[in-house]
Amino acid sequence: MNVEHVKCLIIGSGPAGYTAAIYTSRANLHPVVYEGLAPGGQLTMTTDVENFPGYPDGVSGTAMMESIRNQALRFGADIRSGLIVQVDLSKRPFIATTDGGHTLEAETLIVATGATAKYLGLASEAAYMGQGVSACATCDGFFYRKQDVVVVGGGDTACEDALYLAGLCRKVYMVVRRNVLRASKAMQKRVLETPNIEVLWEHQTKEVLGDDNGVNGVLLTNAKGEERTVAVTGLFVAIGHHPNTELFKNWLTLDEQGYIVTEGKSTATGVEGVFACGDVQDPVYRQAVTAAGSGCMAGIDAERFLLAKS
Ligand code: NDP
C-alpha cells in the first residue's frame, strides 16, 4: 500500500481550514488540505459578506473564499479536491483515507469540517437560495432593511434571528410549527414583547414564492390545513445546524449537540495532535471571522505541538 506521509493534514475548506493552511504553510509544515464536498464551505452559499474586517465595500462569499484559498496556495499549501472518508486516530501518525482510496499518515490533524444549516427541504426553498432564502440572519439580514421577512423555527437561533431582524426590518413573521417555542424563557419573552415580531403558531412552510427578482412571499398552512400567504422578500431558515463530525464520533469528544469539544483557550481536542477549528467546534458564534481566527489558532497549535515533539 502506498501511504503518503504528511506533517499536517487539514480536513475542510471554509475560512477555518484555509486560514489553518496559511499558518501551517508559512510554518513549513507543508499542509495537505482536503476540501470536502463543498469547497469554500457555507460562505459560498451566501451572497455578500459585509461584516468580515478588511472589506469596506463588502465581498461575495465565494470571492472571499477564493482569496483566502489563493493566499494559502501562495505559501505552498497543497489543496486537493476530494473527501476524507475514514480516519484512525488511535495513534500518531493518524491514518486518513480519501474517497479515491488514497491513504495518508499525518503527524498532526486539523479538523475544519464545519457545520451544515438544516433546511426545510422544499424545492422552492432551494430555488431561491441566496435570492431571498438564507440560513444566516447575521450575514444577510442587512439586505432586508425596512422590508418584511419570515423566520422559520422556534429555538434560540430562530428567536435570536427574529430579534436581530426586528431591529432592521419592518416586520418579522416567526413561523413556529408547534404552539410553543423551544427557546429559553428569556428569549421567548423578548420575542413576544417585540412589537414588530408576529408569531404564527402551528404554521408550516408549504412553498416559497417568487419571480426573477427573488422571493416575494411564503405560502403557509396552519394546523387545520388552511393556507395563507404572507408577502415577504426574505425567508430565514433557523431550524438548527448539524456539525459535520460523523467521521470523528468514535475518536473525539463531542458535546451533546455533536460539536467537537476543545480544551480551554486552544483548539486541542482530547487526542494529542488533533486540533479542531471553525464551526465544527463552535455552536455559539459561527461567524466567518471567528472561524478564520480559530483556524489561525489551530495552525499555531499544530506548529507548537510538533516543535515540542521534535
Ligand atoms: P433547536 O434544535 O434548539 O431548535 C430548532 C427549532 O426549529 C425548533 O423550534 C424546532 O421545532 C424547529 N424545527 C426543526 N425542524 C423544523 C422543520 N422541519 N420545520 C419547522 N420547524 C422546525 O436549534 P437552534 O439552532 O435554535 O439551537 C441549537 C442549540 O444552540 C440549542 O441548544 C440552543 O439553545 C443553542 N443556542 C443558544 C443561543 C444562546 O444561548 N444565545 C443562541 C442560539 C442557539 P420543534 O421545537 O417543534 O422541534
Side-chain angles (χ1 to χ4, degrees):
M1 191 171 58
N2 190 15
V3 178
E4 180 184 9
H5 185 92
V6 298
K7 278 190 178 166
C8 179
L9 173 64
I10 299 172
I11 311 179
S13 59
Y18 287 150
T19 304
I22 293 172
Y23 275 76
T24 49
S25 48
R26 283 171 58 82
N28 273 340
L29 301 191
H30 309 292
V32 169
V33 182
Y34 274 86
E35 290 189 301
L37 271 183
Q42 292 182 72
L43 277 187
T44 58
M45 312 269 288
T46 183
T47 47
D48 283 354
V49 180
E50 295 192 328
N51 52 9
F52 198 97
Y55 295 95
D57 302 319
V59 58
S60 90
T62 308
M64 189 173 84
M65 291 321 300
E66 191 66 23
S67 297
I68 306 181
R69 186 178 190 276
N70 285 337
Q71 198 171 343
L73 286 173
R74 185 181 143 214
F75 297 112
D78 182 349
I79 301 179
R80 304 176 184 175
S81 53
L83 287 175
I84 299 293
V85 292
Q86 203 181 332
V87 291
D88 179 347
L89 309 184
S90 57
K91 58 179 188 317
R92 287 182 61 241
F94 310 114
I95 306 292
T97 313
T98 71
D99 52 350
H102 180 55
T103 305
L104 299 105
E105 54 175 34
E107 291 176 42
T108 58
L109 173 67
I110 295 179
V111 179
T113 46
T116 308
K118 294 181 191 161
Y119 285 95
L120 298 165
L122 304 169
S124 54
E125 174 192 45
Y128 290 107
M129 195 68 69
Q131 281 189 288
V133 173
S134 168
C136 182
T138 339
C139 319
D140 297 328
F142 193 68
F143 303 109
Y144 299 88
R145 267 168 305 164
K146 299 192 169 67
Q147 300 172 41
D148 296 351
V149 297
V150 158
V151 172
V152 184
D156 279 320
T157 302
C159 287
E160 219 171 56
D161 286 0
L163 289 164
Y164 177 76
L165 291 165
L168 295 168
C169 301
R170 193 172 55 184
K171 168 130 196 180
V172 178
Y173 295 98
M174 202 167 155
V175 175
V176 179
R177 67 180 174 183
R178 292 187 293 150
N179 62 358
V180 287
L181 292 170
R182 181 183 290 274
S184 56
K185 289 282 176 282
M187 289 297 259
Q188 295 193 23
K189 186 166 184 286
R190 287 179 60 200
V191 161
L192 298 174
E193 286 175 354
T194 302
N196 63 338
I197 300 178
E198 183 182 345
V199 181
L200 302 175
W201 302 103
E202 296 186 87
H203 277 72
Q204 299 261 18
T205 310
K206 190 166 180 197
E207 198 179 342
V208 184
L209 310 170
D211 56 25
D212 289 346
N213 297 320
V215 170
N216 59 26
V218 176
L219 178 62
L220 305 170
T221 50
N222 67 13
K224 294 181 190 148
E226 296 161 346
E227 293 190 346
R228 165 185 182 178
T229 299
V230 284
V232 293
T233 47
L235 174 88
F236 289 86
V237 184
I239 60 173
H241 283 75
H242 50 85
N244 301 319
T245 48
E246 187 61 24
L247 205 53
F248 309 102
K249 66 176 187 216
N250 295 330
W251 305 105
L252 303 179
T253 307
L254 308 180
D255 70 10
E256 65 285 351
Q257 296 172 59
Y259 289 85
I260 296 174
V261 176
T262 51
E263 290 169 4
K265 274 191 186 173
S266 83
T267 61
T269 66
V271 175
E272 256 210 334
V274 178
F275 305 92
C277 54
D279 285 11
V280 76
Q281 52 83 59
D282 175 17
V284 180
Y285 299 103
R286 298 193 296 233
Q287 300 298 299
V289 65
T290 50
S294 74
C296 152
M297 290 163 65
I300 292 174
D301 286 344
E303 180 193 0
R304 291 185 181 163
F305 172 80
L306 286 178
L307 212 58
K309 290 277 168 199
S310 64

